[in-house]
Amino acid sequence: DSGVTQTPKHLITATGQRVTLRCSPRSGDLSVYWYQQSLDQGLQFLIQYYNGEERAKGNILERFSAQQFPDLHSELNLSSLELGDSALYFCASSVVEHRGRGYTFGSGTRLTVV
Amino acid sequence: TQLLEQSPQFLSIQEGENLTVYCNSSSVFSSLQWYRQEPGEGPVLLVTVVTGGEVKKLKRLTFQFGDARKDSSLHITAAQTGDTGLYLCAGVLGGSQGNLIFGKGTKLSVKP
């Protein structure tokens, strides 16, 4: 157990739907990062939050949004889902904001859009 | 275009063999990390290297950061079946506070 908790582990939904993925960071970690992993693209950075504030955006689609709450858990909202959104979504956390220190990853949410 | 190119993409070896996987870029990185990912799990950090030419050892695993901080290698001695997994390198571009950029990984299979 890495200490980063992601729910649900699996999610199957239809095109056009909206889903919410949840992440609880490791105790004491203030930074939360969301990544998408697909077979052809590898791990792609989506967005980062630090202590409740958005810090950086990567290749995140406009249909996707995220937030970090006062208790530091984070949610990734995916809407108007398309078949191509099927992927593994990982949340990672770190103590500090500096990205060179290494992240602790959760076990991921496998999203299947049918 | 992938900033971090990993090779080989796939590697299948017998238990007891040695192997080296590579992570290359034309860009300079302020630090570089190696992760191992098993099916159904998230990547697990193995090591971080920050100084050009740095060598770090973790039991049978040896990590090296290139002198120019553009490349890295991971060498495994006497591979075991438990080493099977996806090995990912990831780095932060030099001079930036940018986010961690991942390579696509090397999928290693160690057969008994």
Side-chain angles (χ1 to χ4, degrees), chain A residues 9 33 35 37 40-43 45 48 56 90 98-103 105-107, chain B residues 2 31 33 35 37 40-43 45 48 86 88 92 97-100 102-104:
Chain A
K9 195 157 178 68
Y33 312 82
Y35 279 82
Q37 187 177 39
D40 55 341
Q41 291 295 320
L43 270 164
F45 169 67
Q48 181 215 353
F90 286 103
H98 183 36
R99 288 85 166 174
R101 291 290 185 90
Y103 300 168
F105 280 83
S107 297
Chain B
Q2 198 73 15
S31 67
Q33 299 162 19
Y35 292 78
Q37 184 179 15
E41 297 296 327
L45 179 66
T48 300
L86 178 68
L88 296 157
V92 177
Q97 287 295 307
N99 283 287
L100 211 51
F102 280 82
K104 289 190 178 181

Side-chain angles (χ1 to χ4, degrees), chain A:
Chain A
D1 180 8
S2 68
V4 178
T5 304
Q6 288 190 248
T7 56
K9 195 157 178 68
H10 301 277
L11 198 49
I12 301 175
T13 189
T15 53
Q17 294 299 304
R18 173 190 168 95
V19 297
T20 297
L21 313 184
R22 183 187 167 102
C23 168
S24 292
R26 196 177 56 165
S27 178
D29 286 358
L30 298 177
S31 252
V32 168
Y33 312 82
W34 286 96
Y35 279 82
Q36 180 192 58
Q37 187 177 39
S38 60
L39 281 173
D40 55 341
Q41 291 295 320
L43 270 164
Q44 298 289 313
F45 169 67
L46 296 177
I47 197 164
Q48 181 215 353
Y49 281 83
Y50 177 77
N51 204 20
E53 291 186 6
E54 182 185 302
R55 275 295 200 246
K57 266 187 174 180
N59 301 320
I60 188 166
L61 299 171
E62 284 191 15
R63 300 182 285 108
F64 296 1
S65 65
Q67 54 185 328
Q68 187 179 28
F69 295 87
D71 67 352
L72 300 177
H73 91 271
S74 178
E75 292 180 358
L76 179 66
N77 301 295
L78 314 176
S79 61
S80 302
L81 284 167
E82 302 174 359
L83 295 177
D85 297 327
S86 295
L88 272 165
Y89 291 84
F90 286 103
C91 165
S93 71
S94 65
V95 173
V96 294
E97 197 175 356
H98 183 36
R99 288 85 166 174
R101 291 290 185 90
Y103 300 168
T104 302
F105 280 83
S107 297
T109 293
R110 181 176 292 279
L111 173 66
T112 303
V113 183
V114 297

